[in-house]
Amino acid sequence: MDLNSPFFDRIRIKPAADEPRETEGPGCEHPGCAALGEHRAPKGRNREGQYWRFCLEHVRAYNASYNYFDGMSDSALAAYQKDALTGHRPTQAMGVNSAGSGAESATIRDWAYSDPLGILRGKDFTQTRRSRAAPAEPRKPRYTGAAKRALDVLGLDENADGPAIKAQYKALVKQFHPDANGGDRSFEERLRDIIKAHDTLKSAGLC
């Protein structure tokens, strides 16, 4: 038998059906699961951009119990909602002199803008006109159609003041939040309407 015969180079052996094959792609990261991890699931707050790899069954179970705001206090949740109105960018009232208002000593957030040339602290941005002898009296907020609808969503009338609006908003958020309903997300649409109504009233200066 000639072992150098070219016939040996053309011999192909099919792998047995019961031989183990390498898994294609990453495996499911759920403990004890050997399925493919074909679906991504976010790891949560403060770990943005990081994901778990799960199979279809375990990613559905993970998504059903996922809560981005889990562990946040009421004050932290309110601060997050307030910052979300401006895209989590710092804001300052027009005409405020930052040198005299203590803005330089304020807490700098991790999304603070950079102004190396000091353009936003210039005269045209930070100083108000002094031609007026006395400031005009603040106008009372007008109840626009949007504000009236927002009050109706919160179950309030036009006689509600700022503290009453805040108290009602806090009570409704606690009532319809999924964490207060055993993870039931059927009230999410109602919760979004409540948050939107509160933001509308806050933008109108009513609370």
Side-chain angles (χ1 to χ4, degrees), residues 32-68:
C33 182
L36 290 178
E38 299 176 331
H39 304 278
R40 298 195 311 174
K43 290 190 176 182
R45 184 162 41 89
N46 298 327
R47 302 178 71 181
E48 286 78 2
Q50 302 180 28
Y51 300 90
W52 301 105
R53 305 291 304 202
F54 291 128
C55 62
L56 181 60
E57 176 185 356
H58 290 127
V59 78
R60 286 176 174 173
Y62 181 84
N63 290 338
S65 60
Y66 178 77
N67 181 11
Y68 180 82

mmCIF file of all heavy atoms in Angstrom, residues 32-68:
data_model
loop_
_atom_site.group_PDB
_atom_site.id
_atom_site.type_symbol
_atom_site.label_atom_id
_atom_site.label_comp_id
_atom_site.label_asym_id
_atom_site.label_seq_id
_atom_site.Cartn_x
_atom_site.Cartn_y
_atom_site.Cartn_z
ATOM 1 N N GLY A 32 -26.965 27.810 35.095
ATOM 2 C CA GLY A 32 -27.482 26.496 34.771
ATOM 3 C C GLY A 32 -28.081 26.352 33.391
ATOM 4 O O GLY A 32 -28.569 25.281 33.049
ATOM 5 N N CYS A 33 -28.055 27.399 32.575
ATOM 6 C CA CYS A 33 -28.637 27.344 31.237
ATOM 7 C C CYS A 33 -27.526 27.137 30.216
ATOM 8 O O CYS A 33 -26.526 27.852 30.211
ATOM 9 C CB CYS A 33 -29.419 28.619 30.912
ATOM 10 S SG CYS A 33 -30.209 28.581 29.281
ATOM 11 N N ALA A 34 -27.708 26.145 29.318
ATOM 12 C CA ALA A 34 -26.702 25.834 28.313
ATOM 13 C C ALA A 34 -27.119 26.298 26.925
ATOM 14 O O ALA A 34 -26.440 25.985 25.940
ATOM 15 C CB ALA A 34 -26.439 24.322 28.299
ATOM 16 N N ALA A 35 -28.217 27.044 26.812
ATOM 17 C CA ALA A 35 -28.681 27.504 25.499
ATOM 18 C C ALA A 35 -27.831 28.680 25.018
ATOM 19 O O ALA A 35 -27.007 29.231 25.746
ATOM 20 C CB ALA A 35 -30.152 27.911 25.586
ATOM 21 N N LEU A 36 -28.035 29.049 23.765
ATOM 22 C CA LEU A 36 -27.312 30.182 23.197
ATOM 23 C C LEU A 36 -27.837 31.494 23.765
ATOM 24 O O LEU A 36 -29.044 31.669 23.938
ATOM 25 C CB LEU A 36 -27.467 30.199 21.668
ATOM 26 C CG LEU A 36 -26.754 29.093 20.885
ATOM 27 C CD1 LEU A 36 -27.044 29.233 19.399
ATOM 28 C CD2 LEU A 36 -25.253 29.160 21.124
ATOM 29 N N GLY A 37 -26.919 32.410 24.032
ATOM 30 C CA GLY A 37 -27.295 33.736 24.497
ATOM 31 C C GLY A 37 -27.461 34.687 23.324
ATOM 32 O O GLY A 37 -26.618 35.550 23.085
ATOM 33 N N GLU A 38 -28.550 34.539 22.592
ATOM 34 C CA GLU A 38 -28.752 35.301 21.364
ATOM 35 C C GLU A 38 -29.366 36.686 21.618
ATOM 36 O O GLU A 38 -29.477 37.488 20.698
ATOM 37 C CB GLU A 38 -29.658 34.519 20.414
ATOM 38 C CG GLU A 38 -29.072 33.173 19.987
ATOM 39 C CD GLU A 38 -30.037 32.376 19.127
ATOM 40 O OE1 GLU A 38 -31.265 32.551 19.309
ATOM 41 O OE2 GLU A 38 -29.576 31.602 18.281
ATOM 42 N N HIS A 39 -29.791 36.978 22.851
ATOM 43 C CA HIS A 39 -30.505 38.232 23.120
ATOM 44 C C HIS A 39 -29.775 39.011 24.212
ATOM 45 O O HIS A 39 -29.315 38.438 25.200
ATOM 46 C CB HIS A 39 -31.946 37.937 23.555
ATOM 47 C CG HIS A 39 -32.698 37.102 22.570
ATOM 48 N ND1 HIS A 39 -33.307 37.625 21.456
ATOM 49 C CD2 HIS A 39 -32.910 35.752 22.531
ATOM 50 C CE1 HIS A 39 -33.881 36.652 20.775
ATOM 51 N NE2 HIS A 39 -33.659 35.505 21.398
ATOM 52 N N ARG A 40 -29.705 40.338 24.020
ATOM 53 C CA ARG A 40 -29.043 41.205 24.989
ATOM 54 C C ARG A 40 -30.057 41.810 25.954
ATOM 55 O O ARG A 40 -31.181 42.094 25.574
ATOM 56 C CB ARG A 40 -28.289 42.339 24.284
ATOM 57 C CG ARG A 40 -27.185 41.868 23.362
ATOM 58 C CD ARG A 40 -26.256 43.014 22.987
ATOM 59 N NE ARG A 40 -26.963 44.195 22.534
ATOM 60 C CZ ARG A 40 -26.360 45.352 22.260
ATOM 61 N NH1 ARG A 40 -25.056 45.474 22.431
ATOM 62 N NH2 ARG A 40 -27.071 46.387 21.834
ATOM 63 N N ALA A 41 -29.613 42.017 27.186
ATOM 64 C CA ALA A 41 -30.448 42.657 28.203
ATOM 65 C C ALA A 41 -29.580 43.635 28.985
ATOM 66 O O ALA A 41 -28.475 43.283 29.403
ATOM 67 C CB ALA A 41 -31.051 41.614 29.153
ATOM 68 N N PRO A 42 -30.024 44.873 29.157
ATOM 69 C CA PRO A 42 -29.197 45.871 29.850
ATOM 70 C C PRO A 42 -28.949 45.489 31.305
ATOM 71 O O PRO A 42 -29.836 44.961 31.979
ATOM 72 C CB PRO A 42 -30.033 47.150 29.741
ATOM 73 C CG PRO A 42 -31.441 46.675 29.567
ATOM 74 C CD PRO A 42 -31.346 45.414 28.767
ATOM 75 N N LYS A 43 -27.747 45.802 31.791
ATOM 76 C CA LYS A 43 -27.390 45.456 33.164
ATOM 77 C C LYS A 43 -27.964 46.426 34.187
ATOM 78 O O LYS A 43 -27.993 46.119 35.369
ATOM 79 C CB LYS A 43 -25.867 45.387 33.305
ATOM 80 C CG LYS A 43 -25.255 44.195 32.573
ATOM 81 C CD LYS A 43 -23.798 44.007 32.919
ATOM 82 C CE LYS A 43 -23.238 42.748 32.258
ATOM 83 N NZ LYS A 43 -21.814 42.504 32.613
ATOM 84 N N GLY A 44 -28.412 47.614 33.744
ATOM 85 C CA GLY A 44 -29.099 48.499 34.663
ATOM 86 C C GLY A 44 -28.440 49.840 34.822
ATOM 87 O O GLY A 44 -27.474 50.189 34.140
ATOM 88 N N ARG A 45 -28.997 50.623 35.751
ATOM 89 C CA ARG A 45 -28.528 51.980 36.001
ATOM 90 C C ARG A 45 -27.078 51.977 36.463
ATOM 91 O O ARG A 45 -26.645 51.096 37.192
ATOM 92 C CB ARG A 45 -29.442 52.620 37.060
ATOM 93 C CG ARG A 45 -29.164 54.060 37.379
ATOM 94 C CD ARG A 45 -30.382 54.676 38.086
ATOM 95 N NE ARG A 45 -30.946 53.745 39.060
ATOM 96 C CZ ARG A 45 -30.550 53.688 40.323
ATOM 97 N NH1 ARG A 45 -29.623 54.487 40.754
ATOM 98 N NH2 ARG A 45 -31.127 52.821 41.137
ATOM 99 N N ASN A 46 -26.334 52.989 36.041
ATOM 100 C CA ASN A 46 -24.907 53.160 36.312
ATOM 101 C C ASN A 46 -24.047 52.111 35.608
ATOM 102 O O ASN A 46 -22.833 52.051 35.847
ATOM 103 C CB ASN A 46 -24.619 53.115 37.820
ATOM 104 C CG ASN A 46 -25.309 54.233 38.570
ATOM 105 O OD1 ASN A 46 -25.474 55.332 38.039
ATOM 106 N ND2 ASN A 46 -25.729 53.968 39.797
ATOM 107 N N ARG A 47 -24.662 51.291 34.764
ATOM 108 C CA ARG A 47 -23.906 50.323 33.959
ATOM 109 C C ARG A 47 -24.389 50.387 32.510
ATOM 110 O O ARG A 47 -24.518 49.385 31.833
ATOM 111 C CB ARG A 47 -24.083 48.906 34.529
ATOM 112 C CG ARG A 47 -23.644 48.767 35.969
ATOM 113 C CD ARG A 47 -23.874 47.369 36.522
ATOM 114 N NE ARG A 47 -22.962 46.407 35.946
ATOM 115 C CZ ARG A 47 -22.952 45.109 36.240
ATOM 116 N NH1 ARG A 47 -23.838 44.639 37.115
ATOM 117 N NH2 ARG A 47 -22.099 44.284 35.680
ATOM 118 N N GLU A 48 -24.650 51.627 32.079
ATOM 119 C CA GLU A 48 -25.139 51.841 30.723
ATOM 120 C C GLU A 48 -24.116 51.338 29.711
ATOM 121 O O GLU A 48 -22.908 51.520 29.882
ATOM 122 C CB GLU A 48 -25.426 53.332 30.483
ATOM 123 C CG GLU A 48 -26.685 53.840 31.162
ATOM 124 C CD GLU A 48 -26.518 54.103 32.639
ATOM 125 O OE1 GLU A 48 -25.383 53.925 33.139
ATOM 126 O OE2 GLU A 48 -27.500 54.489 33.293
ATOM 127 N N GLY A 49 -24.606 50.731 28.651
ATOM 128 C CA GLY A 49 -23.726 50.193 27.617
ATOM 129 C C GLY A 49 -23.243 48.781 27.896
ATOM 130 O O GLY A 49 -22.534 48.194 27.084
ATOM 131 N N GLN A 50 -23.622 48.208 29.044
ATOM 132 C CA GLN A 50 -23.256 46.833 29.391
ATOM 133 C C GLN A 50 -24.501 45.955 29.335
ATOM 134 O O GLN A 50 -25.578 46.375 29.760
ATOM 135 C CB GLN A 50 -22.624 46.780 30.781
ATOM 136 C CG GLN A 50 -21.381 47.644 30.920
ATOM 137 C CD GLN A 50 -20.788 47.550 32.314
ATOM 138 O OE1 GLN A 50 -20.923 46.534 33.006
ATOM 139 N NE2 GLN A 50 -20.115 48.615 32.748
ATOM 140 N N TYR A 51 -24.337 44.740 28.842
ATOM 141 C CA TYR A 51 -25.495 43.874 28.612
ATOM 142 C C TYR A 51 -25.206 42.451 29.075
ATOM 143 O O TYR A 51 -24.065 41.973 29.044
ATOM 144 C CB TYR A 51 -25.869 43.837 27.120
ATOM 145 C CG TYR A 51 -26.219 45.177 26.546
ATOM 146 C CD1 TYR A 51 -25.240 45.984 25.974
ATOM 147 C CD2 TYR A 51 -27.521 45.660 26.586
ATOM 148 C CE1 TYR A 51 -25.550 47.231 25.463
ATOM 149 C CE2 TYR A 51 -27.847 46.903 26.068
ATOM 150 C CZ TYR A 51 -26.858 47.683 25.502
ATOM 151 O OH TYR A 51 -27.166 48.910 24.995
ATOM 152 N N TRP A 52 -26.272 41.783 29.516
ATOM 153 C CA TRP A 52 -26.246 40.350 29.758
ATOM 154 C C TRP A 52 -26.580 39.646 28.443
ATOM 155 O O TRP A 52 -27.229 40.231 27.580
ATOM 156 C CB TRP A 52 -27.265 39.933 30.819
ATOM 157 C CG TRP A 52 -27.103 40.574 32.161
ATOM 158 C CD1 TRP A 52 -27.863 41.551 32.695
ATOM 159 C CD2 TRP A 52 -26.112 40.261 33.152
ATOM 160 N NE1 TRP A 52 -27.421 41.885 33.951
ATOM 161 C CE2 TRP A 52 -26.347 41.114 34.260
ATOM 162 C CE3 TRP A 52 -25.044 39.362 33.192
ATOM 163 C CZ2 TRP A 52 -25.553 41.085 35.404
ATOM 164 C CZ3 TRP A 52 -24.250 39.331 34.340
ATOM 165 C CH2 TRP A 52 -24.503 40.173 35.422
ATOM 166 N N ARG A 53 -26.178 38.409 28.326
ATOM 167 C CA ARG A 53 -26.543 37.581 27.167
ATOM 168 C C ARG A 53 -27.440 36.454 27.668
ATOM 169 O O ARG A 53 -27.035 35.651 28.500
ATOM 170 C CB ARG A 53 -25.285 37.000 26.491
ATOM 171 C CG ARG A 53 -24.251 38.016 26.067
ATOM 172 C CD ARG A 53 -24.695 38.878 24.924
ATOM 173 N NE ARG A 53 -25.103 38.121 23.760
ATOM 174 C CZ ARG A 53 -25.123 38.614 22.533
ATOM 175 N NH1 ARG A 53 -24.759 39.876 22.322
ATOM 176 N NH2 ARG A 53 -25.511 37.884 21.508
ATOM 177 N N PHE A 54 -28.682 36.432 27.157
ATOM 178 C CA PHE A 54 -29.646 35.433 27.594
ATOM 179 C C PHE A 54 -30.266 34.740 26.386
ATOM 180 O O PHE A 54 -30.283 35.278 25.269
ATOM 181 C CB PHE A 54 -30.771 36.073 28.420
ATOM 182 C CG PHE A 54 -30.340 36.587 29.758
ATOM 183 C CD1 PHE A 54 -30.625 37.888 30.138
ATOM 184 C CD2 PHE A 54 -29.654 35.779 30.647
ATOM 185 C CE1 PHE A 54 -30.246 38.373 31.373
ATOM 186 C CE2 PHE A 54 -29.267 36.251 31.887
ATOM 187 C CZ PHE A 54 -29.561 37.547 32.249
ATOM 188 N N CYS A 55 -30.814 33.566 26.638
ATOM 189 C CA CYS A 55 -31.645 32.902 25.637
ATOM 190 C C CYS A 55 -33.023 33.582 25.655
ATOM 191 O O CYS A 55 -33.298 34.450 26.484
ATOM 192 C CB CYS A 55 -31.763 31.417 25.942
ATOM 193 S SG CYS A 55 -32.558 31.049 27.529
ATOM 194 N N LEU A 56 -33.891 33.182 24.738
ATOM 195 C CA LEU A 56 -35.190 33.831 24.621
ATOM 196 C C LEU A 56 -36.009 33.691 25.894
ATOM 197 O O LEU A 56 -36.647 34.649 26.355
ATOM 198 C CB LEU A 56 -35.955 33.248 23.424
ATOM 199 C CG LEU A 56 -37.339 33.853 23.156
ATOM 200 C CD1 LEU A 56 -37.227 35.345 22.884
ATOM 201 C CD2 LEU A 56 -38.012 33.140 21.991
ATOM 202 N N GLU A 57 -36.001 32.520 26.497
ATOM 203 C CA GLU A 57 -36.807 32.292 27.705
ATOM 204 C C GLU A 57 -36.355 33.181 28.857
ATOM 205 O O GLU A 57 -37.161 33.822 29.528
ATOM 206 C CB GLU A 57 -36.710 30.820 28.110
ATOM 207 C CG GLU A 57 -37.444 30.493 29.405
ATOM 208 C CD GLU A 57 -37.246 29.059 29.846
ATOM 209 O OE1 GLU A 57 -36.588 28.289 29.088
ATOM 210 O OE2 GLU A 57 -37.728 28.703 30.938
ATOM 211 N N HIS A 58 -35.041 33.246 29.066
ATOM 212 C CA HIS A 58 -34.533 33.986 30.217
ATOM 213 C C HIS A 58 -34.508 35.491 29.969
ATOM 214 O O HIS A 58 -34.589 36.276 30.919
ATOM 215 C CB HIS A 58 -33.137 33.474 30.589
ATOM 216 C CG HIS A 58 -33.151 32.100 31.160
ATOM 217 N ND1 HIS A 58 -32.369 31.069 30.680
ATOM 218 C CD2 HIS A 58 -33.888 31.557 32.172
ATOM 219 C CE1 HIS A 58 -32.594 29.969 31.374
ATOM 220 N NE2 HIS A 58 -33.517 30.230 32.281
ATOM 221 N N VAL A 59 -34.404 35.927 28.714
ATOM 222 C CA VAL A 59 -34.455 37.376 28.468
ATOM 223 C C VAL A 59 -35.880 37.896 28.679
ATOM 224 O O VAL A 59 -36.084 39.035 29.124
ATOM 225 C CB VAL A 59 -33.942 37.716 27.056
ATOM 226 C CG1 VAL A 59 -34.994 37.420 25.988
ATOM 227 C CG2 VAL A 59 -33.522 39.186 26.983
ATOM 228 N N ARG A 60 -36.884 37.068 28.377
ATOM 229 C CA ARG A 60 -38.263 37.469 28.650
ATOM 230 C C ARG A 60 -38.503 37.585 30.143
ATOM 231 O O ARG A 60 -39.144 38.535 30.616
ATOM 232 C CB ARG A 60 -39.222 36.454 28.043
ATOM 233 C CG ARG A 60 -39.338 36.538 26.520
ATOM 234 C CD ARG A 60 -40.222 35.440 25.984
ATOM 235 N NE ARG A 60 -40.453 35.611 24.546
ATOM 236 C CZ ARG A 60 -41.082 34.705 23.787
ATOM 237 N NH1 ARG A 60 -41.536 33.572 24.338
ATOM 238 N NH2 ARG A 60 -41.243 34.927 22.491
ATOM 239 N N ALA A 61 -37.987 36.632 30.916
ATOM 240 C CA ALA A 61 -38.156 36.683 32.369
ATOM 241 C C ALA A 61 -37.413 37.882 32.954
ATOM 242 O O ALA A 61 -37.901 38.542 33.876
ATOM 243 C CB ALA A 61 -37.639 35.385 32.995
ATOM 244 N N TYR A 62 -36.252 38.185 32.411
ATOM 245 C CA TYR A 62 -35.472 39.332 32.895
ATOM 246 C C TYR A 62 -36.181 40.649 32.597
ATOM 247 O O TYR A 62 -36.282 41.531 33.452
ATOM 248 C CB TYR A 62 -34.088 39.313 32.256
ATOM 249 C CG TYR A 62 -33.178 40.431 32.701
ATOM 250 C CD1 TYR A 62 -32.428 40.326 33.868
ATOM 251 C CD2 TYR A 62 -33.069 41.599 31.949
ATOM 252 C CE1 TYR A 62 -31.591 41.351 34.272
ATOM 253 C CE2 TYR A 62 -32.238 42.627 32.350
ATOM 254 C CZ TYR A 62 -31.491 42.501 33.508
ATOM 255 O OH TYR A 62 -30.672 43.526 33.904
ATOM 256 N N ASN A 63 -36.693 40.789 31.381
ATOM 257 C CA ASN A 63 -37.368 42.025 30.988
ATOM 258 C C ASN A 63 -38.657 42.250 31.792
ATOM 259 O O ASN A 63 -39.049 43.386 32.041
ATOM 260 C CB ASN A 63 -37.683 42.018 29.494
ATOM 261 C CG ASN A 63 -36.439 42.151 28.646
ATOM 262 O OD1 ASN A 63 -35.413 42.645 29.114
ATOM 263 N ND2 ASN A 63 -36.505 41.711 27.407
ATOM 264 N N ALA A 64 -39.319 41.163 32.168
ATOM 265 C CA ALA A 64 -40.572 41.289 32.913
ATOM 266 C C ALA A 64 -40.347 41.883 34.303
ATOM 267 O O ALA A 64 -41.228 42.529 34.852
ATOM 268 C CB ALA A 64 -41.251 39.926 33.035
ATOM 269 N N SER A 65 -39.153 41.694 34.857
ATOM 270 C CA SER A 65 -38.876 42.198 36.205
ATOM 271 C C SER A 65 -37.890 43.350 36.204
ATOM 272 O O SER A 65 -37.508 43.839 37.269
ATOM 273 C CB SER A 65 -38.306 41.061 37.073
ATOM 274 O OG SER A 65 -37.099 40.553 36.507
ATOM 275 N N TYR A 66 -37.498 43.834 35.028
ATOM 276 C CA TYR A 66 -36.477 44.885 34.952
ATOM 277 C C TYR A 66 -37.069 46.238 35.339
ATOM 278 O O TYR A 66 -38.156 46.602 34.903
ATOM 279 C CB TYR A 66 -35.902 44.959 33.532
ATOM 280 C CG TYR A 66 -34.875 46.041 33.341
ATOM 281 C CD1 TYR A 66 -33.572 45.878 33.812
ATOM 282 C CD2 TYR A 66 -35.196 47.233 32.691
ATOM 283 C CE1 TYR A 66 -32.631 46.865 33.641
ATOM 284 C CE2 TYR A 66 -34.242 48.232 32.513
ATOM 285 C CZ TYR A 66 -32.968 48.038 32.988
ATOM 286 O OH TYR A 66 -32.032 49.025 32.807
ATOM 287 N N ASN A 67 -36.372 46.983 36.172
ATOM 288 C CA ASN A 67 -36.798 48.320 36.595
ATOM 289 C C ASN A 67 -35.560 49.205 36.685
ATOM 290 O O ASN A 67 -34.724 49.037 37.577
ATOM 291 C CB ASN A 67 -37.518 48.263 37.940
ATOM 292 C CG ASN A 67 -37.988 49.643 38.386
ATOM 293 O OD1 ASN A 67 -37.970 50.605 37.616
ATOM 294 N ND2 ASN A 67 -38.413 49.739 39.634
ATOM 295 N N TYR A 68 -35.448 50.153 35.757
ATOM 296 C CA TYR A 68 -34.263 51.020 35.709
ATOM 297 C C TYR A 68 -34.137 51.868 36.976
ATOM 298 O O TYR A 68 -33.039 52.184 37.417
ATOM 299 C CB TYR A 68 -34.354 51.931 34.484
ATOM 300 C CG TYR A 68 -33.178 52.872 34.318
ATOM 301 C CD1 TYR A 68 -31.993 52.435 33.728
ATOM 302 C CD2 TYR A 68 -33.252 54.188 34.756
ATOM 303 C CE1 TYR A 68 -30.919 53.285 33.579
ATOM 304 C CE2 TYR A 68 -32.172 55.049 34.609
ATOM 305 C CZ TYR A 68 -31.015 54.594 34.019
ATOM 306 O OH TYR A 68 -29.945 55.445 33.868
#
